[in-house]
Structure formats: structure tokens, C-alpha cells
């Protein structure tokens, strides 16, 4: 059965003190009684702090990125094994900011997915169209190609470790969210695309999160859609009150 998930992508926010503060607030209020698996993704330097602070809780820690190689002369980069060595078993890959600002291609992201799976990590795979794609009615094509190029080389068994996060670029950090109907329409298309490639069991089991300006006042309606299994939250994950309200909206 597919899982409900609410994940907070903290992006390049919060130093060590602020990370500890926010995690302690979340720790006090997130319980195993929550309907959703809660995941937080602080910056690289605060991951070890996060896993140690959250030990024994139900909150999981994710990285925001990683390198595809096992080791080497790649100044500034981090391997899957390094993440695992500090207790991090999940990684966000393919975020639109990595694609747009750091020029990550579908092929590069696919190789990162492979490296993560080889290390038995869970991947939160992000994808989504830009505004120009939607305006030219090309959004379904773009999304289908991102899925195919990033993930459809995988074997069926690999899908146990994949979480999909549809994040339309035009809705990220803009305050403009996809309507619940737009989100449902695309999530249904995504599930159908997975079904065609891998069959119904995998399509029904994969969690598809929505990301892009999810806030406490719109979360409930978006999460009520049948193919929306939770959210990947940016700005509203940076304070405990808003993030917990979104967690509780599931
Ligand atoms: P916002 O919630 O700030 O729009 O960010 C979404 C996002 O990019 C999560 O990965």
C-alpha cells in the first residue's frame, strides 16, 4: 500500500542552531499517530546533527542532493556512502533548482538515482514542467520524458525505493499553487504513465507527492485528491507551526 508522506525541503536555509531549534519543535509534536511519514531535508552540514537529534523518533532525514560517483576528486561533493554513514537513507534528486541553476540533465539525474539505489537509499525524484511548457500545452510531454529519462531504466524491484514528487516549476516559491484539480490531473497522468511501463501494482504502490507553494490553507484540499499522496514543502517547512499544520492536513 502506498504511503502518505510530508517532506520538508529546507533548501539553503538554517544554520546549526536554527536547525536544532526547528527539529526540537517538530520532535515535540510529530508522533507515530500522524497519518503521514514525516521527512526533513536540512542542508548537508546539518544532516549528522539532524539524525542524532531525531534518533528514536518517527521523523526521517533526507539529503537534498548527492554525487553519483563512489569517491574521487570532486571538490565540494558528497557520496551516498557518506550520507549513509551519518544515518541518512533518503535523498532528493532532480529538484528543479538543481536542473535549472546547476544544469543537471536527465542523464546525470538518472546516474544519481542508480548510485542511490546501489546504496539502498530511498529516492525522492522531483520533476515538473516550466510555465512556458504549460502555456504551450506541452506539460504532459515534458513530465513523461522526465520520468522516462530519469527512471524508466530501473527494474521493477527498484520502485520500492522510489517516491515521486511532481513540482511544477511555476508554482515553486511563487505563492501560485497548482489548483487541486491541476495537481490531480497530472498525478493521475503520472500514475498512468508508470502503469503503462511497469504495471498496476507498482503504479498503485508508488507515492506521488505534490510540491509548489503548499501552505496550511491549501494543503487539505490538495491532499484530498485521490492521486496526491502528500507533499514536498519548501517555504512552509521552515517554521514548525506551518509545517505541522500541513502534516496534520493529511
Ligand atoms: P515552495 O513550497 O517554497 O514553493 O517550494 C517547493 C519546493 O521546491 C520543494 O522542494
Amino acid at each position: 500500500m502506498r504511503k502518505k508522506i510530508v517532506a520538508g525541503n529546507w533548501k539553503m536555509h538554517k544554520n546549526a542552531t536554527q536547525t536544532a531549534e526547528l527539529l526540537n519543535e517538530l520532535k515535540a509534536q510529530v508522533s507515530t499517530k500522524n497519518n503521514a511519514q514525516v521527512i526533513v531535508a536540512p542542508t548537508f552540514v546539518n544532516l549528522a546533527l539532524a539524525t542524532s537529534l531525531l534518533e528514536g523518533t518517527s521523523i526521517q532525514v533526507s539529503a537534498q542532493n548527492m554525487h553519483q560517483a563512489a569517491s574521487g576528486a570532486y571538490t565540494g561533493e558528497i557520496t551516498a556512502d557518506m550520507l549513509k554513514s551519518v544515518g541518512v537513507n533518503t535523498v532528493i534528486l532532480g529538484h528543479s533548482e538543481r536542473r535549472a541553476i546547476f544544469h543537471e540533465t536527465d542523464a546525470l539525474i538518472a546516474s544519481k538515482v542508480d548510485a542511490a539505489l546501489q546504496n539502498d537509499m530511498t529516492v525522492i525524484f522531483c520533476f515538473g514542467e516550466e510555465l512556458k511548457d504549460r502555456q504551450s500545452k506541452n506539460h504532459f510531454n515534458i513530465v513523461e520524458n522526465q520520468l522516462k529519462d530519469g527512471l524508466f531504466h530501473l527494474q521493477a524491484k527498484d520502485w520500492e525505493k522510489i517516491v515521486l514528487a511532481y513540482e511544477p516549476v511555476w508554482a515553486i516559491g511563487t505563492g501560485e499553487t497548482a489548483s487541486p484539480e491541476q495537481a490531480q490531473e497530472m498525478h493521475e497522468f503520472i500514475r498512468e504513465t508508470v502503469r503503462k511501463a511497469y504495471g498496476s501494482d507498482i503504479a498503485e504502490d508508488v507515492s506521488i507527492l505534490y510540491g509548489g507553494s503548499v501552505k496550511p490553507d491549501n494543503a487539505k484540499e490538495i491532499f484530498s485528491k485521490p492521486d496526491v499522496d502528500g507533499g514536498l514543502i519548501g517555504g512552509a517547512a521552515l517554521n514548525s507551526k506551518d509545517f505541522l499544520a500541513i502534516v496534520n492536513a493529511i
Side-chain angles (χ1 to χ4, degrees), residues 9 11 95 97 167 171-173 212-214 232-235:
N9 174 8
K11 307 190 180 182
H95 193 279
E97 287 148 20
E167 299 203 301
I172 295 179
S213 298
V214 178
L232 182 55
I233 319 300

Side-chain angles (χ1 to χ4, degrees), residues 69-144:
S71 65
Y74 300 104
T75 301
E77 292 291 330
I78 306 271
T79 68
D81 177 64
M82 291 168 193
L83 295 175
K84 294 211 62 174
S85 72
V86 295
V88 175
N89 297 306
T90 303
V91 61
I92 296 170
L93 293 175
H95 193 279
S96 64
E97 287 148 20
R98 300 294 319 169
R99 292 175 189 260
I101 306 168
F102 300 99
H103 311 295
E104 292 197 6
T105 61
D106 289 317
L108 175 71
I109 296 160
S111 70
K112 291 186 178 203
V113 169
D114 292 341
L117 295 178
Q118 275 155 20
N119 284 276
D120 206 24
M121 294 182 77
T122 295
V123 172
I124 301 176
F125 179 86
C126 302
F127 58 113
E129 81 283 0
E130 293 176 33
L131 185 58
K132 65 174 170 38
D133 305 320
R134 190 163 274 265
Q135 284 169 338
S136 61
K137 305 207 184 325
N138 204 25
H139 46 302
F140 291 111
N141 273 338
I142 295 283
V143 160
E144 186 174 354

